Structures are given as structure tokens and as C-alpha cells.
Amino acid sequence: MLTKIRQRSIVKLYAYCSHPRYRFLVCQFIEGANLASILSNDERAIHFHWQRRISLIRDVAQALSYLHNDVHPPIVHRDITSRNILLDANYKAFVSDFGVARMLKPDSSNWTALAGTYGYIAPEFSYTSVVTDKCDVYSFGVVAFEVLMGKHPGDVQNFLSSLNDQFLPKEILDKRLQRPKNEEAKDVRRCISLAFVGLHPSPKERPTMLKIYRDFFI
């Protein structure tokens, strides 16, 4: 199924080999680095300006919406993290690493063992092992905050509870960049809002990636 996917923000899988002696994938080459390494490098983070960060959040939202709604059966990535988002030389984002991805089958309960990366896994996995598209929505919310803050927010629920209702964006935005202004500031505030709705502790209260993409970027 992954070889059939042709979406501009998903790393393409061209071919694979499964042999008793050799197992490998032939994937699209992305000449940049992953998001985590860029955010951890002060010089590269400065070049990763607000417009590029907003574009990355939009592109990842579109890619996840595609996986959840335009692929049949739908695919849940299950490990959306800053290490699994690659950027090319122009800071264009590509979702990669489908090693723990699952197809959602309507005739199945979709139970599975815990998979993903600590700090990005949805809280419902503490009491259920059912895979849903809302798992990716939560991970996307974490990544969105990470892009805006320039670092992982840490314990997500503690981070959210530490913010009061009147907090200012400048309190959490990456201090290595100049404060966004005018239209750019509106776009950043919109990205903060979508990060919040994606991180709702209840999966039922989280919007779908399709709704996030349509409501915030179209």
C-alpha cells in the first residue's frame, strides 16, 4: 500500500526487498535533516523562520489527513515525532518512517501493542490499546507545539495546565526568532490554537486531521 501513496509531503516508497538474506526499502532521498536536529541547532533554527514553520505544520496536517481519509483502508502512522519528519534543503517537510504504522480495518477491533515514542503518545494508551486516527492527532499537536516553541514541551499535560487563559504567545514561542508580526502573527496564533485542540486528553473531543486541515489552512 505504501508504494501506491503519492502525496507531496510523504516520503515515497519506491520498492522493497524481502529475502531470507536481504531486507531493505528503496525510499525517496531527502537531502536535509530531521526536524529535531534542526530545532536543536541554533544556526539552522534561525533559518527555520516562522513562515517555514507554519508551512511545515500545514504540510504535516495535510499528509496525515490524506493517510486518514484518502487511503483505503486508512493508515495510522502511530509515531509522528520531530525525528520522523524530514526537511529538504528548502525546509519542505516530509513525513517518514512507517515502521509501526497500522491500517484501520472496519471489520477488526484494531487492538495492538503499545507503539510510538514517549512524549508523543496519546494518553488513552494508558487505559486502552485500540488504534484510532486520534492517536496521530495528539502526536501532531505535540509536534506543532515543538515547532512553535523550538523544543519539546516536556510533560504535555503539565505544560498545558501551567498556561493560564490569558497567556501571551510570546511566553512560549521560540526566543531565537524575532516575534512574528501582522499576518505572520495571525498564522502563528492559529497554529497555537490547532495544537491545543489536537492535545485534548479525550480522543472523542479531538477533531480529525481533515477538520484541522480544513478549518485552519483552507
Side-chain angles (χ1 to χ4, degrees):
M1 177 169 282
L2 290 174
T3 62
K4 299 176 182 178
I5 290 177
R6 291 293 182 268
Q7 203 278 343
R8 62 193 181 98
S9 296
I10 297 175
V11 170
K12 294 178 177 61
L13 174 65
Y14 293 112
Y16 61 91
C17 173
S18 181
H19 183 274
R21 293 182 60 189
Y22 307 104
R23 300 178 69 186
F24 58 85
L25 305 176
V26 181
C27 296
Q28 177 185 8
F29 175 66
I30 307 299
E31 67 272 29
N34 65 47
L35 174 60
S37 66
I38 288 176
L39 291 176
S40 65
N41 182 299
D42 289 344
E43 183 178 351
R44 301 189 74 174
I46 291 172
H47 290 290
F48 189 31
H49 52 64
W50 290 121
Q51 200 54 54
R52 285 173 170 166
R53 298 190 190 204
I54 294 163
S55 294
L56 179 142
I57 293 172
R58 180 198 62 217
D59 290 347
V60 174
Q62 186 179 33
L64 290 175
S65 177
Y66 172 86
L67 290 173
H68 295 172
N69 299 279
D70 298 320
V71 177
H72 301 284
I75 293 177
V76 178
H77 188 285
R78 293 208 299 165
D79 200 19
I80 295 296
T81 73
S82 56
R83 293 191 178 278
N84 289 337
I85 297 173
L86 307 181
L87 286 83
D88 67 13
N90 297 314
Y91 292 84
K92 167 100 176 70
F94 295 84
V95 174
S96 70
D97 196 345
F98 285 77
V100 296
R102 288 289 299 272
M103 292 184 291
L104 292 186
K105 299 178 180 179
D107 57 345
S108 170
S109 62
N110 292 304
W111 284 77
T112 183
L114 177 64
T117 300
Y118 180 76
Y120 299 87
I121 300 174
E124 59 265 24
F125 265 117
S126 63
Y127 55 84
T128 180
S129 297
V130 179
V131 177
T132 73
D133 58 346
K134 299 301 182 67
C135 303
D136 282 351
V137 175
Y138 186 90
S139 301
F140 169 78
V142 178
V143 168
F145 264 124
E146 190 170 357
V147 170
L148 297 169
M149 298 173 65
K151 61 181 180 181
H152 191 281
D155 185 295
V156 175
Q157 296 307 316
N158 284 344
F159 163 72
L160 295 178
S161 63
S162 70
L163 300 175
N164 59 48
D165 294 336
Q166 283 76 42
F167 87 96
L168 299 175
K170 67 178 182 180
E171 296 175 28
I172 64 171
L173 294 181
D174 194 338
K175 302 296 190 297
R176 294 171 295 185
L177 299 184
Q178 292 185 353
R179 191 182 306 176
K181 299 178 181 179
N182 303 323
E183 288 301 315
E184 206 170 61
K186 293 180 182 178
D187 289 339
V188 167
R189 285 194 294 270
R190 191 158 57 241
C191 288
I192 292 174
S193 297
L194 70 84
F196 271 116
V197 299
L199 291 177
H200 198 288
S202 169
K204 293 182 179 180
E205 298 299 323
R206 289 176 217 142
T208 63
M209 287 308 310
L210 179 61
K211 181 171 175 57
I212 286 177
Y213 179 67
R214 287 180 172 175
D215 287 358
F216 290 93
F217 296 111
I218 297 181

Coordinates of all heavy atoms in Angstrom, one line a residue, residues 5 10 35-36 39 55 95 103 105 133 148 193 202:
I5 N 1.2 5.2 -2.5 CA 0.9 6.6 -1.9 C 1.7 7.6 -2.7 O 3.0 7.5 -2.9 CB 1.3 6.7 -0.4 CG1 0.3 5.9 0.4 CG2 1.3 8.1 0.0 CD1 0.6 5.8 1.9
I10 N 4.7 13.2 1.9 CA 5.0 11.9 2.5 C 6.2 11.3 1.7 O 6.1 11.2 0.4 CB 3.8 10.9 2.4 CG1 2.6 11.5 3.2 CG2 4.1 9.5 2.8 CD1 1.3 10.7 3.1
L35 N 13.5 17.2 11.7 CA 13.0 18.4 12.4 C 13.7 18.5 13.7 O 14.1 19.6 14.1 CB 11.5 18.3 12.5 CG 10.9 19.4 13.4 CD1 11.1 20.8 12.8 CD2 9.4 19.1 13.5
A36 N 13.9 17.4 14.5 CA 14.5 17.5 15.8 C 15.9 18.1 15.7 O 16.3 18.9 16.5 CB 14.5 16.1 16.4
L39 N 15.8 21.9 15.0 CA 15.4 22.7 16.2 C 16.5 22.7 17.2 O 16.6 23.7 18.0 CB 14.1 22.1 16.7 CG 12.9 22.3 15.9 CD1 11.7 21.6 16.5 CD2 12.6 23.8 15.6
S55 N 4.4 26.6 7.4 CA 4.3 25.7 6.2 C 4.5 24.3 6.6 O 3.8 23.4 6.1 CB 5.3 26.1 5.1 OG 5.0 27.4 4.6
V95 N 6.8 13.5 5.8 CA 6.5 12.5 6.9 C 7.2 11.2 6.5 O 7.1 10.8 5.3 CB 5.0 12.3 7.1 CG1 4.8 11.2 8.1 CG2 4.4 13.6 7.5
M103 N -2.9 -0.2 9.4 CA -4.1 0.0 8.6 C -5.3 -0.2 9.5 O -5.4 -1.2 10.2 CB -4.2 -0.9 7.3 CG -3.1 -0.6 6.3 SD -3.2 -1.6 4.8 CE -2.8 -3.2 5.5
K105 N -8.8 -1.4 9.9 CA -9.8 -2.3 9.2 C -11.1 -2.2 9.8 O -11.3 -2.5 11.0 CB -9.2 -3.7 9.2 CG -7.8 -3.8 8.5 CD -7.3 -5.2 8.6 CE -5.9 -5.3 7.9 NZ -5.3 -6.6 8.0
D133 N -7.4 7.0 14.5 CA -6.7 8.2 13.9 C -6.4 9.3 14.9 O -5.6 10.1 14.7 CB -7.5 8.7 12.7 CG -8.9 9.1 13.1 OD1 -9.4 8.8 14.2 OD2 -9.6 9.8 12.3
L148 N 6.7 25.4 17.2 CA 6.5 26.8 17.6 C 7.4 27.2 18.8 O 7.9 28.4 18.8 CB 5.0 27.0 18.1 CG 4.0 26.8 17.0 CD1 2.6 26.8 17.6 CD2 4.1 27.9 15.9
S193 N -3.6 27.5 18.3 CA -5.0 27.0 18.6 C -5.1 25.6 18.1 O -5.7 24.8 18.8 CB -6.0 27.9 17.8 OG -5.9 29.2 18.3
S202 N -9.1 13.8 25.9 CA -10.1 12.8 25.4 C -10.1 12.7 23.9 O -10.3 13.7 23.2 CB -11.5 13.3 25.8 OG -12.5 12.5 25.2

